[in-house]
Amino acid sequence: MGEAPTDSANAVGVEVEIVVNGDATKLSGSSSVADLLVSLDMSDRRVAVAVNRNIVVRSSYRDVQLASGDRIEILEAVGGG
């Protein structure tokens, strides 16, 4: 598998269009996976994130920058029984 995008080619103030769990979303051009989770009020939840079908490890959430056209899948761990 390839790696999730990590460059920060997007300029501050420019919006990028991404798809999150099938829904189109616009973000600031300098948004990381961590920024996305904050904007979705999910930063304190146990989640798994994939960008363009590549899993992003939690320690890289701040480093992985999102770009126009990226497809993000967020899965939340749910306990129960």
Side-chain angles (χ1 to χ4, degrees):
M1 276 201 258
E3 292 187 26
T6 57
D7 66 355
S8 56
N10 298 315
V12 174
V14 174
E15 285 189 335
V16 294
E17 293 184 27
I18 61 172
V19 177
V20 179
N21 291 349
D23 296 324
T25 305
K26 289 185 181 180
L27 293 174
S28 160
S30 61
S31 294
S32 65
V33 170
D35 296 327
L36 173 63
L37 293 175
V38 168
S39 74
L40 296 173
D41 198 27
M42 298 183 82
S43 61
D44 61 346
R45 297 186 190 175
R46 293 175 53 111
V47 296
V49 179
V51 177
N52 301 325
R53 301 183 71 184
N54 296 300
I55 295 172
V56 179
V57 295
R58 181 178 299 273
S59 61
S60 296
Y61 285 178
R62 292 200 181 284
D63 299 325
V64 176
Q65 296 296 309
L66 302 174
S68 283
D70 282 348
R71 299 185 66 81
I72 294 89
E73 296 295 328
I74 302 172
L75 300 172
E76 187 170 10
V78 178

